Amino acid sequence: MSPLQGEMTLSFLGRIADRYGLTVRSLLSSVTEVAGQQGVVGALRGDSEVFLNAAARDRVAALCRVPQMGLRRALPAWTREEPRGPSKQRPAARLHNGVETVAAWGPACPGCVATRTGGVAPARVYLAAH
């Protein structure tokens, strides 16, 4: 991957969900759950990207055992937006769809993904500006 590209957060979460035998939606629901209520807003589609608030990012970092700094470098949308939940302390996720809100993206190189993850899995990356 070139330095101008980065993986889409939703693509990354999809691989984590697969590892635990979950769907992306159930992973997001689990990451944002507090007292039986989930903090996920928006529809999950093929052109979706997810934005997490600080509390949800902390939970994802702990779940995948990757430091926040590493996730911030690899995932350009990691800190782009702070979705609001009922309170700032409550984890929240917002799904965005379409070209108006999600930057241009495409499939990642399968060989690069296999090298970085140790397995074959689909991944989506932001395309470099030309």
Side-chain angles (χ1 to χ4, degrees), residues 22-40:
L22 300 170
T23 65
V24 173
R25 188 67 179 195
S26 35
L27 176 72
L28 286 171
S29 294
S30 297
V31 164
T32 62
E33 183 177 340
V34 173
Q37 294 183 332
Q38 291 86 34
V40 182

Side-chain angles (χ1 to χ4, degrees), residues 5-130:
Q5 291 179 325
E7 185 172 358
M8 295 182 72
T9 304
L10 192 60
S11 177
F12 175 72
L13 293 176
R15 285 199 317 283
I16 294 171
D18 285 346
R19 182 182 301 158
Y20 289 102
L22 300 170
T23 65
V24 173
R25 188 67 179 195
S26 35
L27 176 72
L28 286 171
S29 294
S30 297
V31 164
T32 62
E33 183 177 340
V34 173
Q37 294 183 332
Q38 291 86 34
V40 182
V41 176
L44 180 59
R45 300 189 336 206
D47 64 347
S48 295
E49 176 59 305
V50 65
F51 299 101
L52 305 168
N53 70 359
R57 289 191 305 266
D58 287 343
R59 287 185 172 191
V60 169
L63 177 66
C64 66
R65 298 180 184 151
V66 176
Q68 288 271 357
M69 184 57 93
L71 293 171
R72 193 174 306 129
R73 269 195 318 270
L75 306 168
W78 188 247
T79 57
R80 190 180 118 190
E81 181 182 315
E82 287 288 324
R84 297 172 206 236
S87 75
K88 282 190 172 192
Q89 291 77 27
R90 256 184 113 152
R94 178 175 294 280
L95 291 156
H96 286 273
N97 304 295
V99 295
E100 299 83 32
T101 58
V102 180
W105 59 272
C109 164
C112 296
V113 173
T115 299
R116 292 178 74 189
T117 65
V120 178
R124 298 182 306 159
V125 294
Y126 288 111
L127 300 176
H130 296 287

